[in-house]
Amino acid sequence: MAGRIPQEFLDRLLGRVDLVEIVNTRVPLRRAGREFMACCPFHAEKTPSFSVSPRKQFYHCFGCGAHGNAIGFLMAYERLEFPDAVEELARAAGLDLPQTPGGESGPSLKPLLEWIARADRFFRQQLREHPLRQRAIDYLRQRGLTGQIANTFGIGYAPPGWENLTQALREAGASFDDLVAAGLTGRDEQGRPRDRFRDRIIFPIRDRRGRVIAFGGRALDGDTAPKYLNSPETPLFHKGSELYGLYEARAHNRQLQRLLVVEGYMDVVALAQHDIAYAVATLGTATTAEHVERLFRSVSDLVFCFDGDRAGRAAAWRALEVALPFLRDGRQAGFLFLPEGEDPDTLVRGEGRAAFERRLEHATPLADYLFAELRAQVDPDTLAGRARLAQLARPLLEKLPDGSFRDLMDERLRQEAQVANTRLRPPASTVASPADRNLRLTRTPLRKAIALLLYRPELARQTTDDPLALSDDGEPGVKLLANVIAVLRANPQLTTAALLERYRDTREGAILERLAAWEPGVPEQDYRFEEEFGDILASLGRRDDLRERLPDILLRRGSPRALSVEEREAVGNLGKAKKV
Ligand SMILES: [Zn+2]
């Protein structure tokens, strides 16, 4: 949903809260040198590799790679979505959330939510009272649904006719534009208002807070096309990020362990009828990264359920590709292909809950599915075929986050391809020691300079002249370094955590978060931050390829110069606006 939490508020919030305290109330911490340690709450382990840095206000797990600031911790630990984590932190810090125009409680979305809530009541009332309601009730009964489950999901009925809902809401004061914006009404060729949903069973689609934001409709007449119809994209409803049934599944069980991803709302409701109350459905779109991210925020175990036909297999492969970047340690994904002609609805009605759940237990693990599909594309009996297998697998495995799952997958590829000397990464049989990690993280001077800045944001004050001159350079690391310097110069009070927050969900953010794990290998007072940072900047300026373009980024010690108006604007554009 559109709406922003102002950057200044996030800065202030992250400057106010203490991550050590936030973590410690949930996962007891022990001091270890500069940091605090605990056994990681995000993967199973016996020796602590989860560290929290009070200076950086950042946590990092050397075992599974989990990391983030206070907002990220609450999102991961309490399984909250971004705005809820911010709200929770703000409450704990005693700050009032700013109410911004265009925000969820701003003026633009509120009337839409109200009209949709009224439409929801209208559809439910029709299911109870409309003269033709029996057809709808017969359909639901025939699908094995009780009144109770229909009620849980708020199922309703849109009667036949062109203007039932439109008229009812117009009488209640809605303007035609309101109803179009809410996705409830359209116009026909003659320009007459037309209800979007006619003679359909109605499935309200709820957002993460349980508010109805859209509808799905299943045609009652077998000849009506399309059989399934959803609300259009509206300011409230984005198909690519919403999941039908997620709110209901979480409301049913706050300690969900597993979610099953199916294709239709009838599947979700039918499964819930058989006590499998943990299914969700995408809404007429392929699985997106946003879907997977939301799902993994709720559970660590996903099973994707698809038809066994060609279309189902193609959709499953797409889901696999989308899921790979989210498979950090402790998370898993499996694939269940249904027998010909069955869907979850027919299957669970036919064989019952226990048999269906046994299928879930035997879902194909993602790793098996991935290699089976690739093997089917090559001739694994020949050397050329195995080389091709490695070639196909490598870009997929590259998408996996660092961690032991990725190491296992690399190892598995080595076995599958039976190539002794590939250019794969060596397996990390043990967790990297801090020294190895530092080496790996900071193998270029650019990365080292950024890591130093993330450790000590005040180093940015040492730079003079125009750090943004760097951003014209083609080298991505240079651009990022310039960005970071510019942001820190414009906002000298930023903590590492607040700095990282500005890059949330960006490619740059992923790089910065990894570099934020860097630690000086010696006691702080023995480490010469300023000198090292200065040397790197100076050496960057001396490089031939940089020197011409960047004559003036050499480090000078002195008071920071105020940014020009243009610089401020450029800096303002760097931080990504937050979606609420
Ligand atoms: Zn961990």
Side-chain angles (χ1 to χ4, degrees):
M1 283 198 258
R4 286 146 193 266
I5 297 176
Q7 194 68 63
E8 311 81 68
F9 179 78
L10 293 174
D11 290 348
R12 198 149 65 90
L13 180 63
L14 287 167
R16 175 89 70 105
V17 299
D18 180 14
L19 178 63
V20 174
E21 193 186 305
I22 289 162
V23 175
N24 195 41
T25 57
R26 293 163 173 92
V27 183
L29 293 167
R30 209 164 34 73
R31 192 177 250 293
R34 285 189 293 263
E35 305 189 326
F36 290 85
M37 302 289 298
C39 281
C40 179
F42 304 118
H43 82 281
E45 64 174 3
K46 293 206 175 77
T47 48
S49 48
F50 180 82
S51 79
V52 180
S53 162
R55 162 188 278 282
K56 289 182 277 195
Q57 290 291 304
F58 186 75
Y59 70 91
H60 181 89
C61 173
F62 304 129
C64 68
H67 58 244
N69 58 19
I71 298 174
F73 181 80
L74 282 188
M75 287 170 72
Y77 189 83
E78 305 282 358
R79 296 172 173 182
L80 298 177
E81 307 225 3
F82 177 81
D84 298 328
V86 171
E87 208 176 305
E88 169 83 30
L89 271 184
R91 200 168 32 234
L95 293 175
D96 286 332
L97 270 184
Q99 301 291 323
T100 52
E104 274 184 276
S105 40
S108 59
L109 298 180
K110 211 168 170 191
L112 296 191
L113 279 167
E114 273 170 19
W115 294 124
I116 287 176
R118 276 180 186 257
D120 180 41
R121 289 200 292 277
F122 174 85
F123 290 137
R124 289 205 235 182
Q125 190 186 19
Q126 300 305 303
L127 187 60
R128 287 194 305 271
E129 295 172 4
H130 195 275
L132 294 175
R133 70 184 187 281
Q134 198 54 43
R135 292 175 64 223
I137 290 168
D138 287 347
Y139 173 83
L140 296 172
R141 288 232 175 93
Q142 174 213 329
R143 303 299 284 260
L145 302 186
T146 59
Q148 195 194 348
I149 209 83
N151 201 35
T152 301
F153 283 87
I155 292 173
Y157 174 51
W162 295 106
E163 289 189 63
N164 292 306
L165 177 68
T166 302
Q167 219 151 41
L169 295 186
R170 289 298 294 269
E171 279 163 23
S175 71
F176 182 70
D177 288 346
D178 287 339
L179 299 181
V180 172
L184 298 170
T185 304
R187 280 190 200 276
D188 68 5
E189 290 87 34
Q190 275 83 45
R192 290 171 299 195
R194 290 291 180 246
D195 285 354
R196 181 173 180 86
F197 298 102
R198 300 182 302 273
D199 199 19
R200 286 174 185 270
I201 301 276
I202 296 293
F203 299 82
I205 298 164
R206 295 182 171 123
D207 71 359
R208 61 196 162 76
R209 294 190 191 172
R211 300 174 305 185
V212 178
I213 53 169
F215 299 97
R218 203 274 184 202
L220 269 179
D221 180 344
D223 297 334
T224 306
K227 193 155 88 171
Y228 292 97
L229 179 70
N230 292 327
S231 293
E233 294 277 311
T234 70
L236 290 170
F237 177 53
H238 306 288
K239 291 185 177 76
S241 55
E242 297 299 335
L243 289 147
Y244 180 74
L246 183 57
Y247 172 79
E248 288 82 355
R250 293 188 57 175
H252 180 84
N253 178 3
R254 301 300 297 182
Q255 303 300 317
L256 276 179
Q257 302 297 318
R258 170 201 278 164
L259 281 165
L260 174 63
V261 187
V262 296
E263 289 183 280
Y265 5 85
M266 255 329 282
D267 296 324
V268 172
V269 178
L271 287 164
Q273 181 71 60
H274 288 84
D275 270 343
I276 300 177
Y278 49 86
V280 299
T282 55
L283 291 154
T285 67
T287 313
T288 64
E290 263 181 291
H291 287 143
V292 175
E293 196 180 6
R294 288 194 67 186
L295 291 167
F296 271 136
R297 202 165 288 146
S298 297
V299 296
S300 53
D301 184 3
L302 290 185
V303 179
F304 292 97
C305 185
F306 289 102
D307 289 347
D309 62 8
R310 243 180 95 135
R313 298 232 158 223
W317 185 254
R318 154 131 186 123
L320 173 141
E321 288 184 306
V322 166
L324 288 171
F326 299 97
L327 285 171
R328 62 168 202 239
D329 289 352
R331 290 175 171 178
Q332 53 181 328
F335 292 83
L336 175 64
F337 292 100
L338 300 171
E340 189 80 27
E342 299 272 12
D343 54 37
D345 175 17
T346 57
L347 207 54
V348 75
R349 273 190 288 145
E351 65 184 21
R353 174 187 174 180
F356 190 86
E357 285 195 319
R358 263 197 303 281
R359 288 178 188 272
L360 293 182
E361 297 306 325
H362 294 111
T364 311
L366 176 133
D368 293 351
Y369 174 52
L370 185 148
F371 284 109
E373 286 290 309
L374 294 185
R375 269 199 309 272
Q377 293 176 40
V378 303
D379 179 357
D381 293 335
T382 66
L383 192 64
R386 294 197 300 271
R388 176 80 186 129
L389 177 77
Q391 199 184 2
L392 291 171
R394 219 165 279 145
L396 295 169
L397 269 45
E398 282 292 322
K399 293 187 182 181
L400 290 167
D402 282 343
S404 44
F405 179 65
R406 172 154 176 184
D407 293 337
L408 286 170
M409 291 291 275
D410 284 347
E411 180 57 33
R412 170 121 180 221
L413 172 57
R414 214 171 280 112
Q415 285 164 10
E416 297 264 353
Q418 295 169 31
V419 197
N421 187 19
T422 66
R423 273 164 294 160
L424 298 174
R425 303 180 321 159
S429 51
T430 53
V431 169
S433 75
D436 297 344
R437 178 164 40 89
N438 281 344
L439 270 180
R440 229 194 280 169
L441 281 172
T442 57
R443 44 168 191 252
T444 68
L446 270 172
R447 286 171 159 226
K448 183 66 177 287
I450 296 172
L452 285 164
L453 271 176
L454 289 169
Y455 194 85
R456 283 230 162 141
E458 60 270 28
L459 287 172
R461 283 186 222 151
Q462 287 186 34
T463 59
T464 57
D465 297 314
D466 183 0
L468 288 177
L470 285 161
S471 59
D472 289 335
D473 192 85
E475 198 173 339
V478 174
K479 193 171 175 178
L480 183 54
L481 174 62
N483 270 2
V484 171
I485 291 175
V487 170
L488 287 174
R489 282 174 56 114
N491 306 275
Q493 82 295 351
L494 284 191
T495 60
T496 306
L499 176 70
L500 291 171
E501 189 56 41
R502 296 185 173 229
Y503 295 89
R504 175 178 293 284
D505 297 335
T506 63
R507 186 189 292 267
E508 291 77 19
I511 298 166
L512 292 179
E513 282 167 7
R514 283 172 68 174
L515 290 173
W518 180 83
E519 286 283 320
V522 295
E524 265 183 32
Q525 62 273 22
D526 298 339
Y527 198 95
R528 305 164 89 165
F529 293 94
E530 288 82 5
E531 214 172 304
E532 181 148 4
F533 184 66
D535 286 349
I536 296 172
L537 281 206
S539 73
L540 288 175
R542 270 198 300 275
R543 272 169 49 183
D544 285 344
D545 57 330
L546 289 175
R547 188 164 24 175
E548 273 177 34
R549 273 165 291 180
L550 320 159
D552 55 2
I553 63 145
L554 291 176
L555 184 89
R556 268 173 239 158
R557 280 158 216 260
S559 57
R561 178 176 65 82
L563 290 178
S564 69
V565 175
E566 294 77 34
E567 284 167 349
R568 274 182 199 285
E569 267 172 23
V571 169
N573 291 334
L574 296 174
K576 214 186 141 218
K578 293 291 167 300
K579 283 198 169 161
V580 177

